[in-house]
Amino acid sequence: MKVLCVTCLTFLGISFGHAQLSPPVLFSEMNGIHFLEDGTALPIWGYGWTTDGFITLPGPLLHYQEGDDVVLAFHNPSPESHTIHLHGLDVDQANDGVPSTSFYVASGESTTYEFVATHPGTFLYHCHVTTTLHLTMGMYGMVLVTRSDGAIFENGPVVNQDVPLLFSDLEMATNLDPVGSFPFHDMRPDVFMVNGKSGSQLEEELIWTSPEAPTALRLASAAYSRIRCSFPSELNAQLWMSDGRAVPAEAIDSLDIYPGERFTVLIQPDEGYDGGFHAEFLHMIDDQLESTQWVQVKDNSLHPSNLISLQEPSVDWYPNPASDFIQTEVERNCKVWDSWGRLMFDGLIGADRLDVSTWPDGVYTSRAAGGKVSRFVVSH
Amino acid sequence: MGARPLTLMLISLSVKLTAAQVDSVWIVPGGVVLGGDTIAALRFCDSPQFQAQNETLEAWLGPWVVVNGDSVDHVLQMSEEGEPPILVPAGGSSTLNMAMPSNSTHRLRSLTQRGDLLGLETMVRGEWEDFPHYEWNLNEWDPSATWSLAALEEVDETEPYVPRQFTINDLNFPLTLEDSTAHVQTSVGDVVLISIANHGRMDQVLHFHGFHVEILQASAHENRVGWSKDTVPVKKGECVVVKLETNQSGEYPVHAHNLVAVTNAGFYPGGMITIITVEP
Ligand SMILES: [Cu+2]
Ligand SMILES: [Cu+2]
């Protein structure tokens, strides 16, 4: 099951920074698009790896080992200033990512954030420039600090996989018109996400468990809502950590996660388990239930073949980058948008190559009917 | 009573520079300018004169005589279990018994809507270990509702609630930095305690930059005593006490992480933000 674990982390953009000679560079952009469950393309701001060339919602998972001397390189080619606040990592003032007490990273500038990953656990990172707006636009991600011995903390339980589950929400009207979003106190989110996905999109986040060893759910919230997770007793859910520190272990059937909080919950359902848990999004002001999302959990004896089919739906483009034409092996119906969310192509692609010779340089996003998103670069 | 040096434009100005041991506290109506809005307010004051910030009551200095300078009766309730409500008639006074256990922080609140929504709510601190002790009273405000209440009208609390101002000790950022019980000033290696009471109508959650804090009390999360956290929920009505031991110098913000609450009239930065200043 380590295979699937890595698969799902890869989808989130995991980077084993500690194992690489030159650290990867995180960058920020303000021209991304994010697909809602109904296919709507929504503008986002966010973070991505420069090697990927595109930003994602949430941003890439930053994965370190306990004790790592982390040098996080950050480049900001976007038109406005941004920062990275390392939420919960107790970094020093200079690396705290708060513009007024630390520093801005202005348009076109690069910097590095340096800190020691002193404690294993689950953390967040997010932009701290006009935080109200930049966070809801998508400038956040998870930081996971693990140990080489598989224990979640020193002398703690050993798990067979870490499953990052980052809760967030956004208000569509704000993403469609960020400048017109002021004043901010009447913000009321209307899209509710787990790892950037809602509803049927969450099928991709299906968690495969093993009866032999616990799975660590790394729960974190960058939402405006309060999240309430309800764990059926068959999951045998146990709370072990909060905010990157061990807490007295206890069996739980529900857990409230306030904005900015993180928890590590171990689950270990029996062989043959087929179920999951609900995550309710409750408004912070009036406690109104806004949305319920369902995270599927299955025992890995059930559908091993799904391991492969999960990989299939995205469109594989070549050559990438392309200058004149781009094509794909499998014939599919698909749409292509530019980085501003404008539809560039809608139709059947396969034997016929797509002529991109007149398209401006940039990152393009494609999606086949019912499939995952893939991206390609046009460069002349 | 806690001392709070303060510079602030007020309709009715009150500047308090020293902690005076007094045995009376007055309920006084008035108005304050908060983040560009003018709001009607009721406050616990240390004299018959209106002041912008509620007085924190230090229980070991009690009992207190509460004098009601408002035009209506108030019924006050301590958050400590078993304490009966206390009627303070308009223009009259009642005695507030302060027998409360040490190492605990409580709220004193008004049971009337007028008192509750005009901010007649404060912290009552028992004696704690002898460390510098900061006090953060959290609240949020709907200015138009305060004027309805000031005109003795009822506010329909089932109507959608959209507060515009968010405060620590009845001040919003950046004025929080001028409040000596909101702005933490300490040195590396020193310990401070922070009592936090949420008097508002909504839950809050505070994020500490730079440090984890140890939870000493969390009246709505009792199983969390002893936990070390950087993001601390404070449910409506809850009193939380945390211990902060700093290990690095610098300026570290503490702020509500429901980011709606870090605005003044919708504009960032504002609201529930303060700073921990740590000298080397
Ligand atoms: Cu930003
Ligand atoms: Cu944060």
Side-chain angles (χ1 to χ4, degrees):
Chain A
M1 286 328 291
K2 274 288 183 192
V3 177
L4 184 79
C5 166
V6 170
T7 300
C8 86
L9 294 179
T10 306
F11 190 73
L12 277 173
I14 194 168
S15 162
F16 296 90
H18 58 280
Q20 299 187 357
L21 289 175
S22 62
V25 176
L26 205 63
F27 80 107
S28 53
E29 256 307 350
M30 300 169 75
N31 60 0
I33 47 174
H34 179 72
F35 292 93
L36 304 183
E37 190 187 3
D38 65 3
T40 305
L42 205 61
I44 56 161
W45 304 349
Y47 300 101
W49 294 119
T50 52
T51 44
D52 291 339
F54 55 82
I55 61 172
T56 54
L57 185 76
L61 180 73
L62 307 183
H63 188 200
Y64 306 110
Q65 293 285 304
E66 180 182 359
D68 275 357
D69 284 308
V70 177
V71 179
L72 174 59
F74 176 51
H75 176 53
N76 174 26
S78 87
E80 291 181 23
S81 299
H82 301 289
T83 67
I84 296 173
H85 167 56
L86 295 148
H87 176 115
L89 287 151
D90 296 348
V91 304
D92 64 19
Q93 181 183 339
N95 291 285
D96 196 31
V98 178
S100 56
T101 52
S102 309
F103 58 90
Y104 284 101
V105 183
S107 177
E109 288 187 353
S110 298
T111 192
T112 55
Y113 291 96
E114 296 181 24
F115 62 97
V116 182
T118 52
H119 290 76
T122 313
F123 305 91
L124 291 165
Y125 67 96
H126 59 81
C127 183
H128 223 292
V129 176
T130 318
T131 323
T132 41
L133 181 62
H134 290 220
L135 195 92
T136 191
M137 290 303 293
M139 304 199 73
Y140 53 82
M142 184 187 284
V143 182
L144 186 57
V145 181
T146 56
R147 291 169 54 87
S148 51
D149 64 4
I152 57 172
F153 52 85
E154 192 174 3
N155 301 318
V158 173
V159 296
N160 82 329
Q161 62 173 338
D162 292 300
V163 177
L165 293 173
L166 175 50
F167 300 93
S168 66
D169 48 26
L170 61 83
E171 185 184 57
M172 276 191 279
T174 298
N175 283 61
L176 290 167
D177 180 18
V179 178
S181 70
F182 296 102
F184 204 81
H185 66 284
D186 57 359
M187 154 93 180
R188 186 138 199 144
D190 46 20
V191 176
F192 303 91
M193 299 167 281
V194 185
N195 292 346
K197 302 185 182 73
S198 307
S200 61
Q201 294 174 315
L202 266 169
E203 285 165 24
E204 289 173 11
E205 299 296 307
L206 185 147
I207 299 165
W208 295 94
T209 57
S210 156
E212 271 96 57
T215 290
L217 304 182
R218 303 299 196 153
L219 308 165
S221 174
Y224 288 75
S225 309
R226 168 166 59 99
I227 313 297
R228 169 161 286 173
C229 294
S230 301
F231 301 108
S233 59
E234 296 81 15
L235 284 175
N236 300 310
Q238 289 186 323
L239 175 63
W240 281 88
M241 297 182 79
S242 177
D243 293 0
R245 300 291 186 273
V247 300
E250 63 170 324
I252 55 167
D253 53 16
S254 79
L255 179 68
D256 276 13
I257 309 171
Y258 280 78
E261 281 195 295
R262 295 90 58 209
F263 294 93
T264 298
V265 169
L266 303 196
I267 57 169
Q268 195 169 3
D270 292 340
E271 193 172 339
Y273 179 78
D274 183 356
F277 63 92
H278 284 111
E280 295 173 319
F281 288 68
L282 300 139
H283 197 265
M284 281 289 287
I285 294 180
D286 54 26
D287 284 328
Q288 190 155 335
L289 177 62
E290 304 280 16
S291 170
T292 302
Q293 299 294 329
W294 172 248
V295 180
Q296 286 189 75
V297 180
K298 286 179 196 261
D299 176 58
N300 64 19
S301 65
L302 290 181
H303 292 294
S305 59
N306 281 6
L307 284 180
I308 298 146
S309 67
L310 270 175
Q311 294 300 300
E312 280 183 351
S314 67
V315 185
D316 270 332
W317 296 102
Y318 67 92
N320 187 5
S323 61
D324 299 322
F325 293 95
I326 194 153
Q327 61 192 110
T328 171
E329 291 276 305
V330 188
E331 190 163 282
R332 347 258 295 251
N333 266 305
C334 79
K335 293 181 179 177
V336 178
W337 294 264
D338 71 6
S339 60
W340 300 98
R342 286 181 295 238
L343 190 64
M344 299 296 287
F345 175 80
D346 182 2
L348 191 68
I349 184 83
D352 292 333
R353 301 183 301 175
L354 185 57
D355 181 358
V356 296
S357 58
T358 59
W359 293 15
D361 287 3
V363 178
Y364 292 83
T365 303
S366 71
R367 188 170 189 251
K372 286 201 291 198
V373 161
S374 65
R375 290 176 174 84
F376 61 83
V377 172
V378 170
S379 171
H380 300 293
Chain B
M1 291 194 187
R4 293 201 189 115
L6 162 72
T7 328
L8 177 64
M9 277 289 297
L10 301 173
I11 286 176
S12 167
L13 189 71
S14 159
V15 179
K16 192 155 98 54
L17 294 169
T18 54
Q21 183 161 341
V22 291
D23 55 7
S24 293
V25 62
W26 280 262
I27 296 172
V28 187
V32 292
V33 177
L34 206 58
D37 285 327
T38 306
I39 67 164
L42 270 176
R43 295 288 184 265
F44 289 111
C45 304
D46 73 345
S47 80
Q49 194 180 19
F50 178 77
Q51 64 196 49
Q53 297 175 280
N54 277 298
E55 281 299 318
T56 291
L57 303 182
E58 282 151 6
W60 60 95
L61 300 178
W64 302 88
V65 174
V66 184
V67 183
N68 186 353
D70 196 15
S71 57
V72 299
D73 296 353
H74 282 281
V75 180
L76 304 180
Q77 173 76 61
M78 288 281 296
S79 65
E80 224 221 321
E81 265 175 58
E83 289 289 328
I86 303 138
L87 173 73
V88 194
S93 63
S94 295
T95 301
L96 206 56
N97 183 10
M98 290 282 181
M100 73 158 45
S102 55
N103 297 321
S104 65
T105 293
H106 297 272
R107 292 174 63 215
L108 178 68
R109 70 186 203 278
S110 167
L111 293 181
T112 60
Q113 186 189 53
R114 176 179 166 85
D116 182 23
L117 302 190
L118 290 180
L120 185 65
E121 286 147 319
T122 194
M123 185 185 288
V124 183
R125 267 214 297 118
E127 258 183 302
W128 285 84
E129 280 179 278
D130 193 20
F131 294 115
H133 202 124
Y134 292 80
E135 295 153 355
W136 296 349
N137 290 276
L138 311 181
N139 215 336
E140 82 281 332
W141 312 90
D142 173 357
S144 62
T146 67
W147 290 111
S148 301
L149 291 158
L152 296 175
E153 290 163 19
E154 282 271 309
V155 170
D156 182 355
E157 292 190 44
T158 62
E159 287 286 300
Y161 178 47
V162 185
R164 277 171 62 89
Q165 303 290 348
F166 302 85
T167 53
I168 301 173
N169 296 341
D170 305 313
L171 301 171
N172 46 20
F173 179 83
L175 287 172
T176 48
L177 302 186
E178 296 179 32
D179 180 305
S180 62
T181 62
H183 182 176
V184 175
Q185 287 171 296
T186 183
S187 300
V188 174
D190 286 355
V191 171
V192 305
L193 305 185
I194 306 164
S195 282
I196 310 163
N198 183 353
H199 303 297
R201 284 171 63 186
M202 60 182 283
D203 294 354
Q204 297 294 349
V205 54
L206 297 181
H207 172 56
F208 290 76
H209 286 231
F211 310 100
H212 276 61
V213 293
E214 182 190 343
I215 295 176
L216 303 183
Q217 174 192 316
S219 60
H221 297 92
E222 282 175 7
N223 66 327
R224 293 191 177 180
V225 171
W227 288 23
S228 176
K229 280 177 72 68
D230 57 73
T231 306
V232 181
V234 188
K235 288 170 83 80
K236 51 186 167 246
E238 184 172 17
C239 295
V240 170
V241 183
V242 300
K243 181 178 188 173
L244 166 69
E245 185 168 2
T246 54
N247 60 352
Q248 56 184 348
S249 62
E251 303 251 300
Y252 298 94
V254 182
H255 61 84
H257 216 283
N258 169 21
L259 298 176
V260 164
V262 291
T263 59
N264 295 341
F267 289 89
Y268 175 91
M272 294 176 183
I273 303 178
T274 184
I275 282 191
I276 296 172
T277 300
V278 188
E279 300 297 335

